Amino acid sequence: MNISVYSDGAKIPLDLAVGQTIQINWTTTDNSLYSPPSVTTRSEGAVITFNGYEDLTIAGRAFLNTCKLTDKYIPTGKTSVVWLAKGFGPIRSEELDEKGVVVPGSRKEISAILAAP
């Protein structure tokens, strides 16, 4: 089992304007509970663009005003789009290739809701 802890730099401001791009940087500490136990720390970052709000229906539920973000991770350069829903967090994500096209088979989204806020 691995447990990851992120520093405060991983926070995304809540006051971004549509189309605004920011860079955030943070430290990730991974704690491995496997034998032998270990702790590793690494610096990470992302360039995040707030794309706006979208209404989605996933797993039979309407999610209104989801927050759509595009993240380009540093140093890997991997780009993804994520939709965040109030009270749920991430409900859908997709990877993008170098040209900004969705990578086939990369979509991940919730499939069932066991309890709702």
Side-chain angles (χ1 to χ4, degrees):
M1 176 193 229
N2 290 319
I3 300 171
S4 296
V5 178
Y6 305 98
S7 69
D8 282 347
K11 292 179 183 176
I12 300 171
L14 298 177
D15 59 353
L16 296 176
V18 174
Q20 184 177 353
T21 298
I22 61 165
Q23 181 172 333
I24 61 172
N25 298 290
W26 67 91
T27 301
T28 301
T29 302
D30 293 314
N31 299 281
S32 174
L33 304 179
Y34 296 107
S35 184
S38 65
V39 176
T40 58
T41 302
R42 65 184 181 279
S43 295
E44 297 185 276
V47 175
I48 298 173
T49 301
F50 174 45
N51 300 316
Y53 299 100
E54 286 188 10
D55 295 339
L56 297 176
T57 300
I58 300 175
R61 180 182 175 121
F63 293 94
L64 304 179
N65 294 317
T66 64
C67 179
K68 182 180 178 184
L69 302 170
T70 300
D71 307 327
K72 184 170 185 175
Y73 289 94
I74 302 166
T76 65
K78 176 184 163 188
T79 302
S80 63
V81 179
V82 63
W83 289 259
L84 306 172
K86 183 177 181 179
F88 285 86
I91 58 169
R92 174 186 284 170
S93 67
E94 298 173 334
E95 281 186 44
L96 304 179
D97 66 14
E98 313 78 44
K99 296 178 182 177
V101 177
V102 175
V103 174
S106 69
R107 176 177 283 181
K108 297 176 187 145
E109 62 185 19
I110 60 173
S111 59
I113 300 169
L114 304 178

